[in-house]
Amino acid sequence: RMCAAARVAGEQFSSAVPGLGDQPIGGRLSGRLFSTMSGSPAFLMRLVASGFSIAEKAQVIVQQVMSGGDLGVVEKTGANDLQTKADRLVQLSICSSLARKFPKLTIIGEEDLPLQDVDEDLIESGQSEEVLKYSCPPQYSHIKEDEIVVWVDPLDGTKEYTEGLLDHVTVLIGFSYAGKAIAGVINQPYYNYQAGAGAVLGRTIWGVLNLGVFGIQLKEAPEGKHIITTTRSHSSKLVNDCICAMKADEVIRVGGAGNKVIQLIEGKASAYVFASPGCKKWDTCAPEAILHAVSGKLTDIHGNPFQYHKDVKHMNSAGVLATLKNFDYYASLVPDSVKTALVP
């Protein structure tokens, strides 16, 4: 599944990227140090700035495929494991754009696509000037290109995309270093799609550990209320047993790991609980980095951290548990029967 450094020809082009206009949430506000004051940007910030622009390009592709009417749906392993034309085009766009600009990166994408020539229209060579305004956290300032592994989910929530549940859909680009998720970009192509005429459609959220998260407003879930977000299309007895043990006031069933982590950050849910194998590293890398950058926590169901080095197994076979706060409370409620059944 290693994204081939796709053969691309012709000259590159760039597109303007609108500014985020949001202040950072979490992390250190002192991290805002304009590049002109700190010399040329560190590699990680240039990479995230490119990831931001590439994610904005992905949003356009996802919307165009939907408005074109032919989603080109293919079943991979079954009716709940789908691939669309948008999955294929977005992965080609992300992997090819990154590989062209940063040829030493290791890029791992969800879709198993053949090596192929890539239409120049899919290439995004721009970078967000807004991202480049921020200085890199010191511990990441010396990272080199060949030390980063990029985990790409071109369309998280594909089943929901095919069913018109468009607010569930995200594009995920996660960056890991030394096996740890340290930065991420999440695009929601249909953010605001039910907000009526005049609303800006779509948003791009980005974050770096020890810097903060941008493009989204942090809001904690209601105090004393236990709202669980979990899978919509991959339920099982184990999943439901674990949720029952959580003493939830409310259970929200939605698609997409990216979407569920956004719910935690925006206070719509207090815990993301998925007691099942099925989720993979490209589902969790970007969301984990962004949640950790606002002092949240995402692990497997045992509380073990995920590893994201290039040779790690792709499946998160011991499920997912994530919260913005009170992680230990929810971890303490996971039944032993669930822990026994889910082996890391």
Side-chain angles (χ1 to χ4, degrees), residues 50-105:
S50 292
F52 183 98
S53 296
I54 290 165
E56 300 256 289
K57 175 78 158 186
Q59 171 178 307
V60 173
I61 296 169
V62 170
Q63 292 171 353
Q64 285 176 342
V65 170
M66 178 58 74
S67 61
D70 176 16
L71 298 185
V73 180
V74 176
E75 282 192 15
K76 292 196 289 187
T77 61
N80 286 332
D81 187 15
L82 305 178
Q83 183 196 84
T84 69
K85 184 178 176 183
D87 294 83
R88 297 186 287 274
L89 289 177
V90 169
Q91 180 158 310
L92 279 173
S93 174
I94 294 172
C95 294
S96 302
S97 298
L98 285 172
R100 176 183 282 194
K101 197 162 191 175
F102 308 108
K104 294 178 183 173
L105 286 176

Side-chain angles (χ1 to χ4, degrees), residues 264 270-272 291 296-298 321-327 330:
L264 296 178
S270 20
Y272 163 18
L291 186 61
K297 189 169 181 179
L298 185 149
L321 178 64
T323 70
L324 182 62
K325 59 179 202 171
N326 300 325
F327 180 88
Y330 292 99

